[in-house]
C-alpha cells in the first residue's frame, strides 16, 4: 500500500500539486453528479472509514487510533456490514478486485482509475468541465469491484486527504504572494536608491548590483506565480469546487454524528480540520480582501450548514482528538465575532444551541477551558459592565496589526470585531441551562473560580518577571523572554475572560454562589486579591504599556478592573442603594442596626482595602500611572458611572459602620481569626469559638479546630445552639 506522506507526488512543486488537486476534484464532481441520484449526493459512504482495507495511511481518527478502535468496535462493525460474502464491496477479498481497491488508495492509483473511467483527458480544457462534455463519454463501473457510491466516496475521500496534506498549505502560502511582492519591491527600491547615490568603492557597488539583481529575479518569479494563480487557481470554477467539497464534508460529519453512533469515532480527524480550514480560506480565495461576513452572506446556506455542524459536534464525547476539538471551538469563535455569523448561530435550532452550551458548561478539561470560556465571553459581550468596546480602549487610536504570533484568544480579545447588539438568544440559552441544571452550573462556577485563581496568580508572577525585559533595537528577544511575554498575555486574557464569564453566570442566577458553602468567600477573596495587586502595580503597568514588547498590547487596567467591578456589582445587587447616606445622621452617628449580609462578607475579608477602589473617585488625568475611571467616561454610560459611584459610597459608609461595630465589641468576644467580628459559632466538641464567616472559610480547607487541632464534629450557633453543620464522629478527609 502506498502511503500519502511518502507519496512522490507530495514532493512536486506547489503549482503541480494544486493543478492536480483541482483537475481531480472537477473530474470526480462530474462523475458524482452523473452517476449518483440526488439522495446519494450529500455524504460520503461512512463504511470506508472503518474498513481495514482503507486505513488512511496512519492519520488519526476523531475517536483515537484506528488500532485501538478496530478491535473495540469490531462487533458493531460486523453487525452493520452484515455477511462479508453478501457484501463484497465493503470487505477485503483475495481476488484481483482487491488490488484495484488498494490501488485507489494512492495518488497515482486514483489518477489511473479516473483515466480508465473517463479516458485520455489531454485534449480537455482544464477550465471547462461542462456537464455536456462529460455526458458524451461512457461511464462504466462494470470493471470495478464496488458499488458507485462506495467507489466515488473513496475517490473523493482521497482528494479531501490530498487537500488536507498538501493543498491547503499551498493555497495559504499563495495568499501571501501579494504581500511578498510588495516587500520585494520596497527592498528593490531601497537598494536601487543606495546604488545610485552611493559613493563607496567599486566592491560595494558590485555587491549592491548583485543584490539588486537578486531582488529583480525574485520579483519576476513572484509575479509569474501571481499571474499563474490568477489565471489557473483563483478562479470561480475552483472556488465552487472548494465549496462543493466543504458541503460534502459538512453533510458527512453531520450524518455520521447522528446515525453512525459509536462508529462516528472512525471519522478521520482531517474531516473536521478541513471543515474549518476551508471556511477560513474561502473569504480570501478569489478576492484577497474579502471579509468573512461577506462570504457568509454570499453563501449563507453553506455558512449556516457549517455553523450547525460545528454546534452539533461541539463537546461530543466521542471526539477525543485535541486538534479536532480545538478546530471546532475556533470555528464557533469566528462566527461569534461578526454580526452575520451571530445571526446564523442564533437562527440554528434551539436543541442544537442548548446542547452546545451544555457541553461547554460541562467541560472540565483545562486545555479546552481556555477556548470555551472565550465563547461564553463573546456571548456576554455587549451586556456586561462597561463591556461594549470593539477594541480595547487604550488601543483605539493605535494601528495594531496581527503579526500572526498571537493566539486566537489574544487576537479576539484585542479586536472584538464589529459593533453588534448583545446576543440575547444565546444569553437566554445559557440562562435556561443554568436554571434547569443547578448542579452542573454550580460545578462550573467552582471550576471557574479555581481557574481564575490559577490564571491570575500566574499572571502576577510573569508580570513581575517581564517588567525588566528591554527591547533594544537590533537585539532580538531570547526564546525564554518571548515565551514569558506570550504566557503573561495569555494569562491576563484568561483572567479577564473568566471574570466576565462569572459576571454573566451571577447575573443569571446569584444563588449559584450564595447557596454554595464558601463560594461567596472565595469570590470576594479573589476580588480583593485582584484589586490590591492592580492597585500596587501602577508604575509597572505604565512601564509595560509604554514598551514596544510583543503581546503586551492587551494588558491594561481598564479591562481587568471593569470586569472585576462587573462581578462585584452583580453579587452585591440590591444591597447597593443611593440613599445610604440618609441612614446616617449629620454628626456621624448611625441609625443602622446591622450591615447587609453580602456587604458584610465583602468588607470583612481580611484583604479588603477601600483604597484599592480609589480609581472610581480620582479626577480625570493625563497621567495614566494612577488609573482614573473618569478618564474613560466615553466607554461607560451615565447609569454605569452612577452605579459605580454609589458602590464606592456604599462600601465607604458601611466600612465605617463595620469599624464602629468592631470597636464596640468586647475583646474577649472578638473572633480570634479575623479580629473584626463577634464570635457567633462554636466548634464541637472542643467548644472553641469564632465568627461564622471564618468558620465557613476554615472548613473549606480543614476539618480540625484551628486552635487545638481537635477534629470538628459539629458547628453550632453560639446563641441558639442550633447545629449549622454536622460532620459526624468519623474523621472527615482533611
Amino acid at each position: 500500500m502506498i502511503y500519502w506522506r511518502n507519496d512522490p507526488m507530495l514532493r512536486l512543486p506547489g503549482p503541480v500539486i494544486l493543478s492536480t488537486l483541482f483537475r481531480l476534484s472537477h473530474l470526480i464532481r462530474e462523475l458524482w453528479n452523473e452517476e449518483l441520484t440526488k439522495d446519494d449526493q450529500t455524504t460520503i459512504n461512512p463504511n470506508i472509514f472503518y474498513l481495514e482495507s482503507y486505513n488512511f495511511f496512519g492519520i488519526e481518527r476523531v475517536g483515537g487510533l484506528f488500532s485501538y478502535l478496530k478491535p473495540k468496535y469490531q462487533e458493531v462493525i460486523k453487525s452493520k456490514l452484515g455477511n462479508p460474502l453478501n457484501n463484497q464491496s465493503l470487505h477485503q477479498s483475495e481476488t484481483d478486485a482487491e488490488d484495484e481497491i488498494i490501488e485507489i488508495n494512492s495518488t497515482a492509483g486514483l489518477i489511473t482509475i479516473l483515466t480508465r473511467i473517463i479516458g485520455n483527458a489531454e485534449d480537455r480544457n482544464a477550465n471547462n468541465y461542462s456537464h455536456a462534455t462529460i455526458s458524451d463519454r461512457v461511464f462504466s463501473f462494470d470493471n470495478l469491484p464496488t458499488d458507485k457510491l462506495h467507489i466515488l466516496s473513496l475517490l473523493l475521500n482521497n482528494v479531501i486527504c490530498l487537500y488536507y496534506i498538501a493543498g491547503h498549505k499551498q493555497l495559504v502560502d499563495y495568499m501571501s504572494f501579494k504581500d511578498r511582492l510588495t516587500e520585494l519591491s520596497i527592498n528593490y527600491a531601497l537598494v536601487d536608491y543606495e546604488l545610485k547615490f552611493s559613493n563607496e568603492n567599486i566592491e560595494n557597488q558590485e555587491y549592491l548590483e548583485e543584490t539588486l539583481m537578486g531582488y529583480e529575479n525574485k520579483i519576476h518569479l513572484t509575479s509569474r506565480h501571481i499571474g499563474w494563480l490568477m489565471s489557473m487557481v483563483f478562479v470561480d470554477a475552483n472556488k465552487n469546487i472548494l465549496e462543493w467539497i466543504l458541503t460534502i464534508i459538512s453533510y458527512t460529519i453531520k450524518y455520521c454524528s447522528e446515525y453512525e453512533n459509536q462508529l462516528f469515532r472512525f471519522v478521520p480527524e482531517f474531516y473536521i480540520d478541513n471543515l474549518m480550514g476551508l471556511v477560513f480560506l474561502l473569504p480570501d480565495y478569489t478576492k484577497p480582501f474579502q471579509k468573512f461576513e461577506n462570504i457568509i452572506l454570499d453563501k449563507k446556506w453553506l455558512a449556516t450548514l457549517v455553523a450547525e455542524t460545528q454546534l452539533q459536534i461541539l463537546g461530543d464525547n466521542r471526539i477525543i482528538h485535541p486538534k479536532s476539538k480545538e478546530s471546532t471551538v475556533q470555528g464557533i469563535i469566528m462566527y461569534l465575532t461578526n454580526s452575520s455569523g451571530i445571526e446564523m448561530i442564533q437562527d440554528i435550532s434551539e436543541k442544537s444551541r442548548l446542547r452546545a452550551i451544555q457541553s461547554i458548561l460541562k467541560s472540565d478539561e483545562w486545555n479546552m477551558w481556555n477556548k470555551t470560556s472565550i465563547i461564553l465571553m463573546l456571548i456576554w459581550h455587549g451586556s456586561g459592565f462597561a463591556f461594549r468596546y470593539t477594541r480595547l480602549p487604550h488601543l483605539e487610536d493605535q494601528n495594531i496589526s496581527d503579526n500572526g504570533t498571537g493566539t486566537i484568544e489574544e487576537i479576539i480579545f484585542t479586536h472584538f470585531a464589529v459593533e453588534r447588539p448583545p446576543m440575547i438568544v444565546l444569553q437566554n440559552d445559557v440562562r435556561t441551562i443554568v436554571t434547569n441544571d443547578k448542579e452542573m452550573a454550580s460545578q462550573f462556577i467552582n471550576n471557574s473560580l479555581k481557574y481564575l485563581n490559577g490564571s491570575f496568580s500566574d499572571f502576577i508572577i510573569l508580570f513581575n518577571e517581564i517588567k525588566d525585559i528591554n527591547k533594544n533595537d537590533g537585539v532580538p528577544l531570547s526564546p525564554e523572554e518571548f515565551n514569558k511575554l506570550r504566557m503573561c498575555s495569555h494569562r491576563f486574557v484568561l483572567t479577564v475572560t473568566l471574570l466576565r464569564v462569572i459576571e454573566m453566570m451571577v447575573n443569571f442566577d446569584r444563588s449559584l454562589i450564595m447557596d454554595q458553602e464558601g463560594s461567596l468567600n472565595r469570590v470576594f477573596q479573589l476580588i480583593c486579591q485582584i484589586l490590591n495587586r492592580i492597585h500596587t502595580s501602577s508604575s509597572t503597568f505604565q512601564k509595560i504599556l509604554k514598551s514596544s514588547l510583543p503581546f503586551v498590547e492587551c494588558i491594561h487596567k481598564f479591562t481587568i478592573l471593569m470586569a472585576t467591578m462587573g462581578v462585584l456589582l452583580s453579587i452585591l445587587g440590591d444591597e447597593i442603594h443611593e440613599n445610604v447616606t440618609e441612614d446616617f445622621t449629620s454628626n456621624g452617628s448611625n441609625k443602622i442596626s446591622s450591615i447587609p449580609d453580602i456587604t458584610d462578607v465583602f468588607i470583612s475579608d481580611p484583604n479588603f482595602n477601600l483604597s484599592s477602589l480609589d480609581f472610581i473617585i480620582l479626577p480625570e488625568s493625563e497621567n495614566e500611572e494612577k488609573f482614573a475611571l473618569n478618564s474613560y467616561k466615553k466607554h461607560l454610560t451615565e447609569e454605569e458611572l452612577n452605579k459605580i459611584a454609589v458602590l464606592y459610597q456604599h462600601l465607604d459608609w458601611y466600612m465605617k459602620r463595620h469599624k464602629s461595630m468592631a470597636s464596640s465589641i468586647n475583646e474577649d468576644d472578638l473572633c480570634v481569626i479575623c479580629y473584626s467580628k463577634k464570635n457567633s459559632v462554636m466548634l464541637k466538641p472542643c467548644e472553641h469559638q469564632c465568627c461564622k464567616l471564618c468558620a465557613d472559610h476554615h472548613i473549606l480547607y480543614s476539618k480540625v479546630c484551628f486552635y487545638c487541632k481537635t477534629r470538628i464534629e459539629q458547628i453550632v450557633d453560639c446563641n441558639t445552639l442550633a447545629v449549622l453543620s454536622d460532620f459526624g464522629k468519623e474523621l472527615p478527609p482533611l
Side-chain angles (χ1 to χ4, degrees), residues 259-406:
Y259 301 109
E260 290 297 292
N261 299 320
Q262 296 301 326
L263 296 183
F264 173 67
R265 302 172 189 269
F266 285 83
V267 173
E269 53 90 10
F270 64 77
Y271 270 70
I272 293 179
D273 288 345
N274 277 347
L275 185 70
M276 282 320 304
L278 282 164
V279 170
F280 277 112
L281 177 68
L282 283 177
D284 297 320
Y285 187 66
T286 55
K287 300 175 183 177
F289 298 104
Q290 190 175 8
K291 295 182 178 179
F292 175 70
E293 52 263 35
N294 295 334
I295 195 71
I296 63 177
L297 286 177
D298 292 342
K299 298 289 183 180
K300 187 173 182 179
W301 67 270
L302 179 57
T304 303
L305 171 63
V306 173
E308 187 173 4
T309 304
Q310 290 170 333
L311 285 185
Q312 183 171 331
I313 62 178
L314 178 65
D316 193 319
N317 58 14
R318 294 171 296 181
I319 301 176
I320 66 171
H321 197 281
K323 191 175 180 182
S324 299
K325 288 184 176 182
E326 187 170 335
S327 295
T328 303
V329 173
Q330 289 186 358
I332 295 174
I333 288 174
M334 185 174 69
Y335 273 85
L336 295 180
T337 52
N338 70 83
S339 54
S340 301
I342 293 170
E343 182 181 348
M344 290 178 187
I345 291 286
Q346 296 193 139
D347 285 343
I348 291 172
S349 67
E350 182 182 17
K351 180 180 178 181
S352 296
R353 297 196 316 266
L354 290 175
R355 185 170 61 179
I357 291 174
Q358 188 174 37
S359 67
I360 292 175
L361 298 180
K362 276 186 175 180
S363 175
D364 57 359
E365 299 179 31
W366 165 250
N367 292 335
M368 289 304 298
W369 200 278
N370 298 344
K371 301 289 189 301
T372 54
S373 58
I374 288 286
I375 293 178
L376 294 175
M377 179 189 68
L378 288 172
I379 291 175
W380 186 237
H381 184 241
S383 298
F385 181 80
F387 193 39
R388 290 170 300 279
Y389 48 82
T390 55
R391 289 193 72 186
L392 297 184
H394 65 288
L395 298 178
E396 281 188 331
D397 300 326
Q398 299 182 33
N399 183 21
I400 304 295
S401 60
D402 174 27
N403 57 10
T405 57

Side-chain angles (χ1 to χ4, degrees), residues 687-703:
E687 298 189 352
H688 287 117
Q689 298 181 1
C690 63
C691 69
K692 187 176 186 304
L693 178 65
C694 289
D696 290 341
H697 188 267
H698 176 74
I699 60 175
L700 288 174
Y701 306 99
S702 177
K703 299 299 189 298

Side-chain angles (χ1 to χ4, degrees), residues 403-416:
N403 57 10
T405 57
T407 64
I408 189 169
E409 298 97 322
E410 291 154 2
I411 295 170
I412 295 300
F413 186 79
T414 308
H415 310 270
F416 274 94

Side-chain angles (χ1 to χ4, degrees), residues 477-490:
L477 296 172
S478 68
E480 182 182 0
E481 291 174 333
F482 193 84
N483 188 55
K484 282 183 179 180
L485 290 167
R486 184 183 63 81
M487 291 300 298
C488 182
S489 171
H490 179 268

Side-chain angles (χ1 to χ4, degrees), residues 484-656:
K484 282 183 179 180
L485 290 167
R486 184 183 63 81
M487 291 300 298
C488 182
S489 171
H490 179 268
R491 290 298 186 264
F492 180 83
V493 170
L494 183 58
T495 297
V496 176
T497 299
L498 289 172
L499 283 169
R500 288 299 184 184
V501 171
I502 293 171
E503 177 192 8
M504 176 177 67
M505 300 294 284
V506 174
N507 261 280
F508 291 160
D509 190 350
R510 194 166 53 160
S511 67
L512 291 175
I513 60 170
M514 300 298 296
D515 295 345
Q516 291 190 78
E517 194 171 35
S519 289
L520 187 61
N521 297 334
R522 290 175 64 194
V523 175
F524 283 149
Q525 186 180 34
L526 284 169
I527 288 177
C528 291
Q529 180 185 358
I530 292 171
L531 291 173
N532 290 336
R533 285 288 191 173
I534 301 301
H535 177 67
T536 57
S537 304
S538 296
S539 58
T540 306
F541 264 90
Q542 188 63 13
K543 178 182 177 181
I544 290 178
L545 277 177
K546 289 183 176 180
S547 71
S548 56
L549 296 171
F551 302 114
V552 298
E553 298 96 343
C554 65
I555 299 177
H556 195 268
K557 286 186 176 183
F558 179 87
T559 50
I560 191 168
L561 288 177
M562 292 306 97
T564 306
M565 290 298 97
V567 176
L568 187 56
L569 288 166
S570 300
I571 295 174
L572 293 178
D574 297 334
E575 287 190 358
I576 305 172
H577 57 93
E578 297 186 27
N579 300 321
V580 63
T581 55
E582 297 179 4
D583 295 328
F584 290 80
T585 61
S586 58
N587 61 7
S589 62
N590 65 75
K591 302 177 182 178
I592 303 175
S593 59
S594 63
I595 301 174
D597 292 340
I598 303 177
T599 302
D600 193 21
V601 175
F602 182 48
I603 62 180
S604 298
D605 190 285
N607 295 314
F608 174 73
N609 184 1
L610 188 63
S611 63
S612 65
L613 294 169
D614 284 349
F615 66 87
I616 296 174
I617 59 173
L618 286 176
E620 183 176 355
S621 173
E622 295 183 359
N623 180 12
E624 294 191 4
E625 184 168 331
K626 287 189 175 181
F627 176 78
L629 190 60
N630 285 313
S631 300
Y632 294 85
K633 283 184 177 180
K634 68 177 183 178
H635 298 289
L636 287 85
T637 64
E638 287 296 328
E639 181 183 358
E640 288 173 335
L641 287 169
N642 180 63
K643 185 181 292 186
I644 200 168
V646 172
L647 168 66
Y648 186 90
Q649 188 182 56
H650 173 89
L651 295 174
D652 185 27
W653 281 112
Y654 281 116
M655 189 65 184
K656 294 174 182 176

Side-chain angles (χ1 to χ4, degrees), residues 143-188:
N143 296 325
L144 294 177
T146 62
D147 61 83
K148 296 177 182 180
L149 177 59
H150 186 74
I151 188 65
L152 285 174
S153 294
L154 188 57
L155 293 172
L156 181 54
N157 173 78
N158 283 358
V159 168
I160 294 173
C161 188
L162 175 61
Y163 172 81
Y164 169 72
I165 293 176
H168 183 73
K169 181 181 183 301
Q170 295 294 336
L171 287 173
V172 171
D173 287 345
Y174 289 146
M175 293 299 177
S176 62
F177 266 30
K178 189 172 183 179
D179 293 335
R180 195 181 311 171
L181 181 61
T182 302
E183 182 182 353
L184 288 171
S185 300
I186 293 173
N187 291 335
Y188 179 89

